[in-house]
């Protein structure tokens, strides 16, 4: 008599099933890692492009009470948070402004840089105006050109400002020099 193969369940079937499940699981996990890692790596690379459209908001410059009630302008540094591609630096001096109290809760803010060539403009208390020492431009208290012979193509650059909760907040920005139009840069 010949011996017939046994029809009893084999011990290899559960092993084959386990091997199949582990191979499929490994393929799925490997595929997810293969896809997820490059996508996760794109976020820090593309982050500066995402932030490019952000605009800088208002910066707190001083307390309103620090301004003289006489309306005489005071010069204040502007400290802001600078953010480049991956770094953030707090309290960095980015410029300065003249702030003048014009009412009970209003101010006039002028950029301290001359619109002619970018020299620093000083305040002349005796003359009640501003003066640029580089090319002799002179400006009235409101920032307009005081002397028609002034080489400056426009008056001093006013900046947007609000008084909020007893503090002066300024939207600080720079403008193109030497141009009769006020063009933000």
């Amino acid at each position: 008599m010949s011996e017939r193969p046994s029809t009893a369940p084999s011990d290899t079937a559960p092993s084959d099933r386990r091997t199949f499940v582990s191979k499929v699981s490994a393929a799925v996990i490997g595929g997810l890692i293969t896809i997820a890692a490059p996508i996760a790596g794109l976020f820090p690379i593309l982050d500066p492009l995402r932030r490019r459209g952000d605009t800088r908001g208002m910066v707190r410059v001083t307390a309103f009470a620090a301004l003289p009630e006489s309306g005489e302008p005071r010069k204040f540094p502007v400290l802001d948070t600078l953010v480049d591609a991956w770094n953030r630096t707090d309290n960095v001096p980015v410029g300065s402004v003249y702030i003048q109290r014009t009412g009970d809760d209003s101010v006039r803010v002028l950029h301290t840089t001359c619109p002619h060539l970018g020299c620093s403009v000083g305040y002349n208390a005796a003359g009640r105006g501003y003066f640029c020492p580089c090319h002799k431009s002179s400006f009235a208290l409101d920032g307009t050109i005081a002397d028609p012979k002034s080489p400056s193509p426009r008056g001093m650059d006013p900046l947007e400002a609000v008084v909020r909760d007893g503090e002066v907040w300024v939207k600080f920005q720079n403008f193109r020099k030497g141009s009769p139009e006020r063009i933000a840069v």
Side-chain angles (χ1 to χ4, degrees):
M1 270 201 193
S2 72
E3 211 171 293
R4 287 201 321 191
S6 166
T7 57
S10 163
D11 288 338
T12 60
S15 175
D16 287 342
R17 206 172 307 133
R18 273 187 241 125
T19 303
F20 174 76
V21 170
S22 68
K23 286 182 179 180
V24 168
S25 298
V28 168
I29 292 170
L32 290 174
I33 291 172
T34 302
I35 292 170
I39 290 174
L42 285 176
F43 284 109
I45 292 171
L46 298 177
D47 189 54
L49 297 176
R50 180 182 59 84
R51 283 196 238 163
R52 184 170 287 166
D54 291 353
T55 58
R56 190 181 342 188
M58 304 292 267
V59 178
R60 182 197 174 278
V61 177
T62 188
F64 185 72
L67 301 173
E69 291 181 20
S70 65
E72 186 172 332
R74 293 279 190 250
K75 186 175 182 178
F76 293 94
V78 177
L79 304 175
D80 198 4
T81 299
L82 294 183
V83 179
D84 64 12
W86 292 272
N87 300 311
R88 176 187 170 107
T89 309
D90 294 326
N91 294 324
V92 176
V94 293
S96 58
V97 293
Y98 283 109
I99 302 178
Q100 178 185 18
R101 184 186 287 214
T102 57
D104 288 340
D105 60 349
S106 60
V107 293
R108 176 184 297 125
V109 179
L110 298 172
H111 204 297
T112 60
T113 304
C114 181
H116 179 224
L117 292 177
C119 295
S120 182
V121 173
Y123 174 66
N124 181 355
R128 301 260 321 145
Y130 302 98
F131 179 75
C132 177
C134 294
H135 299 101
K136 311 265 189 271
S137 291
S138 59
F139 305 95
L141 272 180
D142 64 356
T144 59
I145 296 175
D147 182 4
K149 297 179 199 165
S150 175
S152 181
R154 65 178 186 272
M156 292 175 69
D157 296 317
L159 298 172
E160 181 183 336
V162 295
V163 177
R164 186 180 330 144
D165 299 327
E167 297 178 330
V168 179
W169 293 77
V170 175
K171 183 173 183 179
F172 187 80
Q173 58 186 347
N174 291 310
F175 297 92
R176 183 176 295 162
K177 307 299 177 238
S179 169
E181 296 91 30
R182 189 169 286 116
I183 301 169
V185 291

